[in-house]
Amino acid sequence: MKHTSKQSMEGFVVRRQAPSQRPQLGAAPGSKPTAPHSSGHDFFAGDPESGSVELPRPLGVAGAAPVHRSDLSESLQALDHKPPSTLKKRPGRLRRMLHPTKKKVIILFVLLILGVGGFFAYKVFANTSRLFSGNVFDLLGKGAVLKEDANGRTNVLIFGTSEDDPSHRDAGANLTDSIMLVSLDQDAKNAVMISVPRDLWVKYGEGCMSGYEGKINVVYECGSDDGKDEPAGAKKLMGIVGDVYGVDIQYYSHVNYKVVRDTVNAVGGVTVQIDSDDPRGVLDRNFDWMCRYKCNYVKWPNGPANLNGDQALALARARNASGGYGLGGGNFDREQYQQKILIAIKDKASSAGTLANPVAVTNLLDALGDNVRTNFSSSEVKSLINLARDLPSSSIKRVSLVDGGKAVLTTGNVSGQSVVRPVAGLYNFDDVRSYVAGKLTTSTASTTQPTIEVLNGSDYGGLAGSKAAELKAAGFAEVSTGDTPTSASYRDFVWYDLSGGKKPESMSKLQSVLGTAPSGTVLPSGVTSDADFVIIVGNESY
């Protein structure tokens, strides 16, 4: 019989030792091994030429039948074609194959969350550190009680400079061309906004670059040494505004002119009601360069206007320049629109949609961090945020000191300069203080009887008094009268609900008496009132 090589079976190499090389079971150490088979084959037995191969019999099994090569091939083929369901599964190996990938995905996801959270935390920390004093983690607490005056109100002075305006870098960068007093009641959840005319003529109390007296927009520049000492300048401005208006001011917020643009863009734009004394709306050609003189950049009809950041900033600075219309009050009208824009930003920033948008919140933090400085601490800001969230716009009263028939300020001329001064006379602010105190007291008071103000918007005298008499006869006790700044836009009577929905029974009764529904919840431009309901009678009411 022929011997076969170790590669004689379909190319497989036999690596098992030959019988002559293996020690036999039970053999003495060092003895010469003997072959178990007489055939002389080292592993297989049988005849390769005939396809019959005899495998070695298992040890201890006598007379085991030989296994033929053809039978082995058939068994392997049957195994190859066996259905997957009958094969033994190896879940351990599968888990070992998938686990590294799954682990990488989880790690990547965690890193992504940590990265986004870390970036957001950095933004909060960085901007909070720039904005407020105190610990940034105070924002996570309950919040400190805001400082109050003797009447239980918190008063904040907001003033703007334009050091970031390229056209003002060489001169006028630290003049405060926008000044506003905001008075808050934390318990009653209401606010009063009163603008301070930049041209108001006051005494400085010390020598400044312009002398010992002049326009109030120079006070911060004088007190801060031209912007070098912000806290000192803010303190001086707070003191003079507080003296003029008879108000104890606890806080300040110093903003630059870009804060309007950046915050409006951060919240995705705002809507502001245009209600000028001109039926065409408003127009100021001074900003047409922003569209390369291919449009009227500041031009809107009366009604709601959707503004982006640049448009809101332009409206906040507009005042009938270059043959415009609808802003006949000049700076006084501009101040009213500044108040409206501020309220619109507050509403949009505190809305659920904005607060749920991480990108909007981050942009808002950047806008504030880049453009605002204040003496609020972090813990006080938390209380301020809570108050802003719970304060409906209907509870924010906008007060004007130049309303027709009730004005306590007027324009004049001092040393050849156009200025704003008290109606009672230069430096006589007694009436101003009394008027402001009355507005703040009215907002603080809480009564069950609705307050109604009837304003005469016609060219005829006595109409407001007649309508007030009708209302008193119908059972309304708290009824006052006054005049609107102009009668150009009023025909028949219109009325407004400023109660914020807090007096539905009174509104229903008033609607029955007047025979018509309210025209809205926002008064026309230039018209202000602290009453729950305001009625304006026009020419056709005569």
Side-chain angles (χ1 to χ4, degrees):
M1 183 177 292
K2 296 181 180 181
H3 291 279
T4 60
S5 68
K6 294 183 179 181
Q7 294 187 4
S8 62
M9 183 176 176
E10 298 181 0
F12 285 101
V13 177
V14 180
R15 299 186 182 275
R16 191 169 178 177
Q17 290 178 315
S20 62
Q21 298 173 328
R22 294 193 305 269
Q24 291 182 341
L25 294 176
S31 61
K32 184 176 179 179
T34 58
H37 304 292
S38 61
S39 66
H41 291 188
D42 50 0
F43 187 80
F44 297 106
D47 185 3
E49 298 294 336
S50 64
S52 175
V53 180
E54 182 181 348
L55 295 178
R57 294 177 175 85
L59 294 177
V61 181
V67 179
H68 295 280
R69 178 177 177 178
S70 58
D71 296 335
L72 179 63
S73 300
E74 290 176 2
S75 299
L76 292 174
Q77 290 177 4
L79 182 63
D80 288 340
H81 293 86
K82 208 167 188 178
S85 59
T86 63
L87 294 175
K88 184 178 180 181
K89 297 181 181 180
R90 303 183 66 180
R93 183 180 180 186
L94 182 61
R95 283 196 297 268
R96 287 194 298 270
M97 292 174 60
L98 295 180
H99 182 67
T101 303
K102 183 178 180 182
K103 185 176 181 180
K104 290 178 182 179
V105 171
I106 293 175
I107 292 175
L108 181 62
F109 182 74
V110 171
L111 289 177
L112 180 62
I113 294 296
L114 291 177
V116 173
F119 174 76
F120 185 73
Y122 164 76
K123 286 289 186 181
V124 172
F125 180 82
N127 288 302
T128 301
S129 299
R130 286 190 292 168
L131 275 168
F132 320 119
S133 62
N135 193 325
V136 64
F137 296 105
D138 290 339
L139 291 173
L140 304 176
K142 182 179 180 181
V145 177
L146 298 176
K147 299 174 184 176
E148 299 176 342
D149 63 12
N151 299 314
R153 301 192 70 88
T154 298
N155 302 306
V156 185
L157 186 69
I158 303 174
F159 62 92
T161 54
S162 54
E163 68 273 10
D164 56 333
D165 185 350
S167 64
H168 285 169
R169 285 176 182 171
D170 296 329
N174 288 294
L175 297 177
T176 53
D177 287 341
S178 299
I179 312 173
M180 187 185 304
L181 176 66
V182 179
S183 182
L184 306 165
D185 189 321
Q186 301 175 75
D187 297 326
K189 299 292 189 297
N190 64 53
V192 177
M193 304 175 67
I194 310 174
S195 291
V196 181
R198 66 175 188 173
D199 295 333
L200 185 64
W201 195 266
V202 297
K203 292 181 178 181
Y204 298 146
E206 65 175 308
C208 298
M209 294 178 62
S210 58
Y212 287 87
E213 60 185 45
K215 295 181 179 180
I216 200 169
N217 69 338
V218 179
V219 172
Y220 171 76
E221 180 185 63
C222 176
S224 67
D225 189 17
D226 200 17
K228 297 182 180 66
D229 189 346
E230 179 190 77
K235 182 178 180 180
K236 184 173 181 63
L237 183 59
M238 291 164 67
I240 290 183
V241 172
D243 179 63
V244 168
Y245 283 9
V247 175
D248 178 22
I249 303 175
Q250 294 81 38
Y251 300 100
Y252 75 85
S253 287
H254 175 198
V255 304
N256 61 34
Y257 91 105
K258 290 195 302 185
V259 70
V260 173
R261 182 196 67 191
D262 292 352
T263 53
V264 169
N265 284 337
V267 300
V270 296
T271 301
V272 173
Q273 185 75 14
I274 305 295
D275 45 14
S276 75
D277 55 3
D278 191 297
R280 295 172 293 179
V282 297
L283 169 66
D284 189 327
R285 301 180 188 275
N286 197 43
F287 299 90
D288 290 355
W289 62 270
M290 296 186 70
C291 58
R292 298 182 179 181
Y293 300 97
K294 296 180 180 180
C295 71
N296 294 130
Y297 198 78
V298 176
K299 183 180 181 181
W300 293 282
N302 288 318
N306 299 318
L307 310 176
N308 61 29
D310 288 319
Q311 292 169 330
L313 177 60
L315 178 61
R317 305 172 80 182
R319 49 177 180 152
N320 257 19
S322 305
Y325 56 74
L327 297 166
N331 284 330
F332 299 123
D333 283 343
R334 178 167 68 174
E335 291 164 358
Q336 294 299 309
Y337 280 110
Q338 289 172 356
Q339 293 179 8
K340 286 186 176 184
I341 293 170
L342 187 60
I343 293 173
I345 292 173
K346 191 277 297 183
D347 288 343
K348 195 71 176 290
S350 59
S351 67
T354 300
L355 294 177
N357 185 341
V359 175
V361 172
T362 300
N363 291 339
L364 188 59
L365 287 171
D366 281 339
L368 295 176
D370 291 340
N371 304 306
V372 179
R373 300 295 179 269
T374 181
N375 63 338
F376 279 101
S377 69
S378 301
S379 57
E380 290 170 330
V381 165
K382 179 60 181 297
S383 298
L384 189 64
I385 292 173
N386 293 337
L387 179 60
R389 180 195 60 205
D390 299 334
L391 184 67
S393 295
S394 57
S395 295
I396 302 176
K397 306 298 182 184
R398 298 185 296 114
V399 175
S400 172
L401 304 180
V402 295
D403 277 354
K406 299 179 292 183
V408 291
L409 294 179
T410 187
T411 56
N413 190 285
V414 177
S415 302
Q417 300 184 60
S418 177
V419 304
V420 175
R421 63 171 180 82
V423 172
L426 201 62
Y427 309 125
N428 185 353
F429 294 102
D430 290 341
D431 290 345
V432 175
R433 297 181 187 114
S434 298
Y435 186 77
V436 170
K439 294 297 182 181
L440 298 182
T441 302
T442 302
S443 294
T444 302
S446 176
T447 62
T448 56
Q449 182 67 231
T451 56
I452 302 173
E453 186 170 18
V454 183
L455 302 178
N456 191 347
S458 74
D459 298 323
Y460 308 99
L463 292 186
S466 299
K467 181 62 69 174
E470 294 178 16
L471 294 173
K472 289 181 179 179
F476 294 103
E478 299 292 331
V479 183
S480 60
T481 60
D483 299 314
T484 61
T486 176
S487 60
S489 300
Y490 307 107
R491 294 176 296 177
D492 204 349
F493 75 88
V494 292
W495 65 288
Y496 300 86
D497 175 18
L498 307 182
S499 68
K502 295 179 179 179
K503 300 189 176 181
E505 294 181 2
S506 298
M507 190 189 77
S508 179
K509 180 179 178 181
L510 193 59
Q511 182 171 337
S512 177
V513 172
L514 297 176
T516 182
S519 300
T521 59
V522 179
L523 291 173
S525 178
V527 179
T528 60
S529 177
D530 292 320
D532 296 317
F533 303 97
V534 175
I535 301 170
I536 301 177
V537 291
N539 285 317
E540 294 184 9
S541 300
Y542 182 71

